[in-house]
Amino acid sequence: MTDAILKVEHMTMRFGGLVAIDDLSFDARRGEITALIGPNGAGKTTVFNCITGFYKPTAGMLTMTHEDGSTFLLERMDDFRITRHARVARTFQNIRLFGGMTVLENLLVAQHNKLMLASKFTIGAILGIGGYRGHEKEAVELARFWLDKAGLTARADDPAADLPYGDQRKLEIARAMCTGPKLLCLDEPAAGLNPKESDDLNKMLLGIRDEQGISILLIEHDMNVVMGISDHIVVIDYGKKISDGDPAFIRSDPKVIAAYLGVDESEAGELAS
Amino acid sequence: MTETAARPNRFAAALKEALMAALLAFVLASFMLGVRTVDAPGGLSYHYRPGLLAAAVAFVFFGRLFLRLVWWKDERSTPKLYSTLTEGMAKFTSGWGRFLAPAVIIGAFVLPFVASRYVLDTSILILTYILLGWGLNVVVGLAGLLDLGYVAFYAVGAYAYALLSTHFGLSFWAVLPLAGLMAATWGMILGFPVLRLRGDYLAIVTLAFGEIIRVVLLNWYTVTKGPDGISGIPRPTFFGLQFKRFGEHTFHQFFGIEYSSMHRIIFLYMIILLLALLTSYVTNRLRRLPVGRAWEALREDEIACRALGINTTNTKLTAFAIGAFFGGLGGSFFATRQGFISPESFTFIESAIILAIVVLGGMGSQIGVAIAAIVMIGGFEVFREAAQYRMLIFGLLMVIIMVWKPRGLVSGRMPTIFLGSERKQVSGDLVKEGEG
């Protein structure tokens, strides 16, 4: 499996005089977990924001390819269209749940587009025609499936803001999955989790990859997660790619060690050996 | 032990606070109560009332002292009355609450046959504001978009009926949906340019929009007759039957009953009651549909909505349009009830009152909005005697509610769907108000 689900080519993002991303190219391969790592301020979240349409990259091309061969140029699409048509879903570094709505409602909002069609754009459902109820039941079943995966079924009717932090992280991933994505982008999913919770998270992500066949792109600082589950790691620093390969390769790459420890490359080489 | 040590301290602190309150009262009251202007030969002259001023200051001083020493025993614990009230209310809504709504609705249908003309007139007014409150609730309470120009849609609805009926002879029932649609169209027209704005900016633009509509109505003399207003707006008919004493096709002739001027009032009351119930029903229905959930999600977090593939532009526009639609219905009803409209009826204060009803009632809560409308509009009528102090009482009431329940009377949010069988509310503290 070497075909790329997402191809990032020569992407540059400037904020005024600041070059946040500088000519970055990498691939995220289909059916694999790709990790994007780098020191603080390296531009990882900016890459995410460009992929999901929250920023428009200054230059470069982002191509999303589905299994059926249809391609989407993400840099030309609005953010909500990227989720809807190109089927890229994301989570946020600082969790963005609908806190005053229940866990189940959060998962139903994620299925908005599907349900909107089913409700004939509200008009059908308000007049009671078009079988909206059946579609809503299906949506609840999908939500229940992901609640089971996240271990949150018992809390389905509680407000999302009442959940403990680790559960909120899991709920955000479940919510993103309810949009029916092909590529799931996770921005620091393990931040603030204890070791047990981060193990649970690993299992959940591997399940998403193996059982659902969804490709994952994740930003993470927790090396336990990154090294444990990634198939492929891209390292960036100051907006440039400095390394790209499998976990074993990255672990011993002097450039990566230099970037993380803040030492010269020659010294890092000695450290690695 | 610590209590005895703390006692003199506490008394001193209370005394100090009471003195400060008395000083504040003195400053405020010296102009409002201490001095009065009276007509005297050769112009105005002052009339001093030191006794009244002293009484007011003394009242504030001792009142504050009493509150401090007896009522607020411990600074940190909430007053007992408050907690018992909240608990009682929570118990009530979970137990008897579900019988409340049907009981009130049945009561509302029975009311016109037992109430006096005065009570009925007031009820019609209150119901109009309930309808408007519920309409605005869609925009402000559910979608979290602060709209200070809601009265514009009310005006569009009113003028739509007034003009279409006087010029083209269209009946109330034909114009009612049209007026709603026209208001909804204006809601979208307003919606488009302001979609990028949030919070305070949105509030200011909607405020300006409300004023623009009023100024246009005032100055477009050839169509709206400007400040003269439009008079002789036809009354609604009951399937073509008119509520007149004489003439063809009258209501009392058809049913063979004695003519009474109350028939028309009862009929108007029934129209507005049904319109309000329709608003409530449609809003409740919408809340359970994807579009309603998207509105609430938009209020909670717009960025997350976009990340989930929701077109926030369309979602905001539907909220504006549906809120405006109900405003238009209310406007049509207003025009047909009054028989005369002029731009004076659509000033900013109307928007402010409707918004106050929504905010005081609890954003997103239908029952809360209804209670707030009854208290505020009914309160206006009750205090008609004390016209001078009406605004004062009104302001005081708002301050009390905002201190006591900052999220409105009914702040909890009922989820729209449950997985389990237990139905419980979401506490108001978790629900966001939206940023616009």
Side-chain angles (χ1 to χ4, degrees), chain B residues 65-81:
Chain B
L65 200 64
F66 171 78
L67 280 178
R68 192 76 254 175
L69 288 178
V70 182
W71 200 266
W72 299 326
K73 282 231 155 107
D74 184 3
E75 272 184 38
R76 268 158 200 85
S77 75
T78 45
K80 208 185 254 164
L81 179 74

Side-chain angles (χ1 to χ4, degrees), chain A residues 20-124:
Chain A
I21 311 287
D22 187 7
D23 196 29
L24 177 74
S25 304
F26 70 91
D27 289 355
R29 291 197 286 268
R30 194 180 309 283
E32 289 193 358
I33 296 179
T34 307
L36 191 59
I37 66 170
N40 286 328
K44 305 180 295 288
T45 300
T46 308
V47 173
F48 259 43
N49 282 339
C50 288
I51 292 171
T52 50
F54 282 80
Y55 294 157
K56 293 278 162 253
T58 321
M61 193 154 100
L62 301 158
T63 319
M64 173 88 190
T65 314
H66 287 177
E67 300 102 319
D68 59 9
S70 51
T71 57
F72 300 87
L73 295 176
L74 303 186
E75 78 278 5
R76 296 187 187 171
M77 295 168 76
D78 285 333
D79 43 12
F80 67 91
R81 293 212 166 79
I82 287 180
T83 311
R84 189 185 289 187
H85 303 296
R87 316 269 293 272
V88 179
R90 74 169 293 180
T91 65
F92 294 88
Q93 195 171 354
N94 45 346
I95 305 172
R96 285 184 173 272
L97 288 170
F98 306 123
M101 303 175 83
T102 66
V103 170
L104 181 62
E105 283 178 308
N106 267 275
L107 298 184
L108 288 182
V109 170
Q111 303 178 52
H112 177 80
N113 291 321
K114 193 172 70 184
L115 289 173
M116 205 64 185
L117 273 177
S119 73
K120 306 279 182 294
F121 300 98
T122 309
I123 297 157

Side-chain angles (χ1 to χ4, degrees), chain B residues 38-179:
Chain B
V38 284
D39 273 326
L44 284 174
S45 81
Y46 296 114
H47 172 65
Y48 298 98
R49 296 187 292 188
L52 189 65
L53 178 62
V57 172
F59 177 76
V60 169
F61 177 77
F62 288 110
R64 186 79 193 187
L65 200 64
F66 171 78
L67 280 178
R68 192 76 254 175
L69 288 178
V70 182
W71 200 266
W72 299 326
K73 282 231 155 107
D74 184 3
E75 272 184 38
R76 268 158 200 85
S77 75
T78 45
K80 208 185 254 164
L81 179 74
Y82 171 76
S83 52
T84 37
L85 262 178
T86 354
E87 272 166 35
M89 219 181 231
K91 231 177 244 167
F92 180 78
T93 41
S94 63
W96 288 95
R98 60 210 153 94
F99 301 111
L100 186 69
V104 169
I105 292 171
I106 292 169
F109 274 107
V110 175
L111 181 78
F113 303 105
V114 293
S116 67
R117 164 107 197 224
Y118 172 68
V119 171
L120 213 52
D121 272 334
T122 312
S123 307
I124 291 174
L125 193 64
I126 290 174
L127 278 168
T128 314
Y129 278 96
I130 290 180
L131 166 69
L132 294 172
W134 281 344
L136 185 61
N137 199 12
V138 172
V139 185
V140 178
L142 294 183
L145 304 162
L146 184 54
D147 183 352
L148 288 180
Y150 192 62
V151 78
F153 308 124
Y154 188 45
V156 168
Y159 271 89
Y161 175 57
L163 292 172
L164 287 174
S165 64
T166 50
H167 288 293
F168 301 104
L170 293 178
S171 80
F172 175 70
W173 297 106
V175 177
L176 191 64
L178 275 179

Side-chain angles (χ1 to χ4, degrees), chain B residues 163-430:
Chain B
L163 292 172
L164 287 174
S165 64
T166 50
H167 288 293
F168 301 104
L170 293 178
S171 80
F172 175 70
W173 297 106
V175 177
L176 191 64
L178 275 179
L181 289 177
M182 280 183 201
T185 311
W186 276 103
M188 299 239 242
I189 291 172
L190 164 68
F192 259 113
V194 304
L195 281 168
R196 296 155 175 279
L197 305 177
R198 309 177 63 127
D200 316 352
Y201 304 98
L202 178 74
I204 287 175
V205 175
T206 52
L207 173 73
F209 177 76
E211 284 302 293
I212 289 168
I213 293 272
R214 191 178 63 81
V215 170
V216 167
L217 292 176
L218 203 56
N219 290 295
W220 196 6
Y221 195 84
T222 48
V223 174
T224 64
K225 300 217 187 102
D228 301 346
I230 299 172
S231 53
I233 301 168
R235 304 293 188 173
T237 56
F238 181 78
F239 295 106
L241 299 173
Q242 291 184 317
F243 290 88
K244 281 183 182 163
R245 185 184 285 267
F246 306 108
E248 304 262 305
H249 301 298
T250 59
F251 182 77
H252 68 285
Q253 278 175 349
F254 187 83
F255 286 98
I257 45 175
E258 195 71 10
Y259 172 78
S260 160
S261 60
M262 278 298 277
H263 289 159
R264 188 173 63 79
I265 308 294
I266 293 173
F267 182 56
L268 282 173
Y269 175 88
M270 286 299 179
I271 293 176
I272 188 67
L273 181 60
L274 288 174
L275 284 179
L277 289 177
L278 176 81
T279 308
S280 166
Y281 174 76
V282 170
T283 313
N284 267 333
R285 216 34 215 274
L286 287 173
R287 266 197 75 204
R288 286 177 176 75
L289 291 178
V291 68
R293 294 205 188 100
W295 288 340
E296 291 199 78
L298 194 67
R299 176 191 67 204
E300 296 279 328
D301 194 326
E302 187 175 345
I303 291 179
C305 277
R306 299 187 73 84
L308 295 175
I310 295 174
N311 185 338
T312 49
T313 310
N314 289 354
T315 309
K316 281 182 186 176
L317 279 181
T318 51
F320 261 115
I322 288 175
F325 181 84
F326 294 132
L329 297 189
S332 279
F333 176 79
F334 175 77
T336 191
R337 179 175 104 101
Q338 300 285 330
F340 167 77
I341 52 166
S342 75
E344 251 168 69
S345 310
F346 309 105
T347 49
F348 170 67
I349 189 76
E350 292 296 318
S351 291
I353 288 174
I354 303 165
L355 186 67
I357 286 172
V358 174
V359 172
L360 293 183
M363 289 198 262
S365 156
Q366 303 234 325
I367 298 219
V369 169
I371 294 171
I374 291 168
V375 170
M376 281 189 50
I377 307 301
F380 269 148
E381 289 302 317
V382 171
F383 292 115
R384 197 171 272 287
E385 305 289 307
Q388 273 185 306
Y389 300 102
R390 206 154 65 161
M391 276 325 236
L392 189 70
I393 294 165
F394 178 52
L396 200 67
L397 195 75
M398 280 170 103
V399 170
I400 288 171
I401 291 182
M402 283 297 114
V403 168
W404 175 51
K405 282 203 148 242
R407 282 164 178 275
L409 287 170
V410 184
S411 55
R413 168 181 178 273
M414 190 50 96
T416 57
I417 190 165
F418 296 91
L419 199 63
S421 52
E422 196 193 346
R423 307 183 143 255
K424 54 191 170 184
Q425 282 208 327
V426 174
S427 153
D429 299 331
L430 301 175

